[in-house]
Amino acid sequence: MTQIAPLTLDTADTATAATLKAVKTKLGMVPNMFATLAHAPAALNGYLGLSETLGTGRLSTAQREIVALAAGQANRCQYCLSAHTLIGKGAGLSAEAIAAARSGKGANALDDAIAGFARALVEQRGVVATEAIASYRRAGLDDGLILEVIANVALNTLTNYTNHIADTTVDFPVVAV
């Protein structure tokens, strides 16, 4: 049972409703996670701003989905795994690449390092061994990419935790954790 019910365009204040309408225009729907975050407009706007900014980074859309899937699996977030499985397909990830990302793996050395590092960040609470970092570097992660993966994990951890606490109803094709 949902613990924090999503707002609707009718129940949100004017400014938040305008933000949700913009989300609907961009995505064609207002996902329950966004409508739930709308209870705290600063959190919703922070999420949207960071997401948009990270979209201008060096990680491709598919690589950002790899991070989302690796983090979502490590955090056991059914909502995010369901959403990012669908979004990942739209970003060009195959079913095999999606399954690999969920297990912290990738189809090539760089994607493997991205997925492995993202999963390690979550599982090890940000304390990743120097030897592991060296391995990710050898696979192609430089300082900038390391920091982008960290930022994307932080963004996804926000949604993973929100969905756990709110018990957000999944409004995407449901994927098992």
Side-chain angles (χ1 to χ4, degrees):
M1 180 175 176
T2 300
Q3 295 189 88
I4 301 175
L7 291 179
T8 66
L9 293 174
D10 296 330
T11 59
D13 64 60
T14 304
T16 304
T19 302
L20 293 174
K21 285 178 187 172
V23 167
K24 184 174 183 175
T25 298
K26 185 174 183 177
L27 302 179
M29 65 181 280
V30 179
N32 285 334
M33 191 277 303
F34 290 87
T36 299
L37 272 179
H39 283 281
L44 175 61
N45 291 325
Y47 170 84
L48 292 170
L50 182 55
S51 180
E52 183 175 330
T53 300
L54 290 173
T56 68
R58 289 175 43 215
L59 291 175
S60 69
T61 302
Q63 289 168 329
R64 288 191 310 279
E65 292 307 314
I66 288 169
V67 172
L69 289 159
Q73 184 66 52
N75 278 319
R76 302 187 52 75
C77 181
Q78 184 176 42
Y79 187 96
C80 289
L81 287 171
S82 298
H84 290 287
T85 293
L86 182 64
I87 297 166
K89 288 176 186 173
L93 294 177
S94 66
E96 295 78 19
I98 289 168
R102 289 180 63 175
S103 66
K105 303 288 181 194
N108 58 52
L110 182 58
D111 288 353
D112 191 62
I114 289 167
F117 182 48
R119 187 160 177 134
L121 282 168
V122 173
E123 291 176 345
Q124 298 167 27
R125 298 178 184 237
V127 183
V128 180
T130 302
E131 301 80 30
I133 298 291
S135 174
Y136 299 136
R137 286 182 185 283
R138 284 191 298 276
L141 290 185
D142 59 22
D143 292 345
L145 288 175
I146 287 170
L147 292 167
E148 278 193 42
V149 171
I150 292 168
N152 277 277
V153 166
L155 180 72
N156 284 282
T157 299
L158 168 64
T159 60
N160 295 166
Y161 288 8
T162 296
N163 292 316
H164 286 314
I165 297 302
D167 196 17
T168 310
T169 300
V170 178
D171 49 357
F172 294 91
V174 176
V175 172
V177 176

